[in-house]
Amino acid sequence: MFLRFVSILALALVAATVVDARVKVTVFYEHLCPDSIRWISNQLAPNYNALRNHIDLEFIPFGKARSINGGQSFECQHGPLECEGNRIQSCVLNQLPDQDRQVSYVTCQMSFDADPRGWECTFRSGVDLVATQNCVEGVQGVQLQLEAERRTQQIPLTFVPSFAFNDQFDQELNQLAFQDFPAALCRVDSSIAGCQ
């Protein structure tokens, strides 16, 4: 009995170590930003399957937006439609339980061919549309965007998209991630499969 307990504990520790070994990647982006769309289409989407077991992604749809009067309204770099899209994305991402579904949704939405209002990909994501609409139009959507603003202000954001690795922002690594996301991950953790 004791040996069985020890082996179960050892397996649990190995599993915890595997989870802890993931690189946390925070992506700061904007709903209608052409550079954000290009990065997700050209860097994240084609590399995600190879990297998915090595990364823990977090999406922060806010970018260079700013709140006015504590969230009574928001101003966005690409106009009011982007503000609405950022809020929709915050609400949808908040409902999606796992990284694969979040990446599927963001990849769908962050496409030059996507519905700029954001509802087609929301429908395809399988989230509760009534709950999403209530979030977007209510206090929760404002709170999610205020939290996105707070998180974005923690880095020296001058370009969108921007990235933090393991909660740390490094300008050189940020530039590399925009051009070659796998190479940036390899620089953070050379033990990732495929890194040399």
Side-chain angles (χ1 to χ4, degrees):
M1 180 82 164
F2 177 73
L3 287 176
R4 184 173 178 197
F5 172 75
V6 170
S7 62
I8 290 171
L9 181 61
L11 287 173
L13 289 172
V14 168
T17 302
V18 169
V19 170
D20 290 343
R22 288 177 173 233
V23 175
K24 181 179 179 188
V25 181
T26 307
V27 181
F28 300 89
Y29 69 107
E30 296 169 331
H31 176 72
L32 294 178
C33 170
D35 288 320
S36 294
I37 292 168
R38 274 190 282 279
W39 183 82
I40 288 166
S41 298
N42 299 334
Q43 293 295 321
L44 180 62
N47 294 302
Y48 178 69
N49 284 336
L51 299 171
R52 66 191 287 267
N53 295 323
H54 304 286
I55 57 177
D56 181 14
L57 282 169
E58 179 181 26
F59 295 102
I60 310 287
F62 194 79
K64 293 184 179 179
R66 69 180 189 97
S67 63
I68 299 168
N69 296 328
Q72 286 183 348
S73 64
F74 292 87
E75 280 184 358
C76 294
Q77 183 174 351
H78 301 96
L81 196 56
E82 180 167 81
C83 289
E84 179 184 4
N86 286 344
R87 190 180 302 201
I88 292 169
Q89 287 198 40
S90 285
C91 289
V92 172
L93 289 166
N94 191 54
Q95 289 187 62
L96 292 174
D98 63 67
Q99 176 172 285
D100 289 345
R101 287 184 62 195
Q102 288 184 356
V103 170
S104 177
Y105 166 70
V106 169
T107 301
C108 174
Q109 187 52 59
M110 296 300 290
S111 161
F112 287 111
D113 298 329
D115 162 24
R117 297 193 67 85
W119 288 106
E120 180 183 335
C121 293
T122 299
F123 175 77
R124 291 160 96 189
S125 74
V127 297
D128 181 326
L129 294 178
V130 173
T132 302
Q133 186 71 33
N134 289 339
C135 173
V136 170
E137 294 175 356
V139 173
Q140 185 183 19
V142 172
Q143 290 172 339
L144 288 170
Q145 279 295 279
L146 288 172
E147 176 61 12
E149 180 177 43
R150 184 191 71 76
R151 294 287 307 284
T152 302
Q153 289 174 347
Q154 292 177 336
I155 67 165
L157 184 111
T158 58
F159 182 78
V160 179
S162 282
F163 316 92
F165 293 89
N166 294 325
D167 295 320
Q168 301 296 314
F169 178 84
D170 176 274
Q171 185 60 45
E172 183 180 329
L173 200 55
N174 187 60
Q175 290 172 331
L176 179 59
F178 180 69
Q179 298 166 350
D180 189 343
F181 183 51
L185 283 171
C186 286
R187 192 170 294 178
V188 173
D189 182 357
S190 61
S191 70
I192 293 174
C195 295
Q196 297 178 13

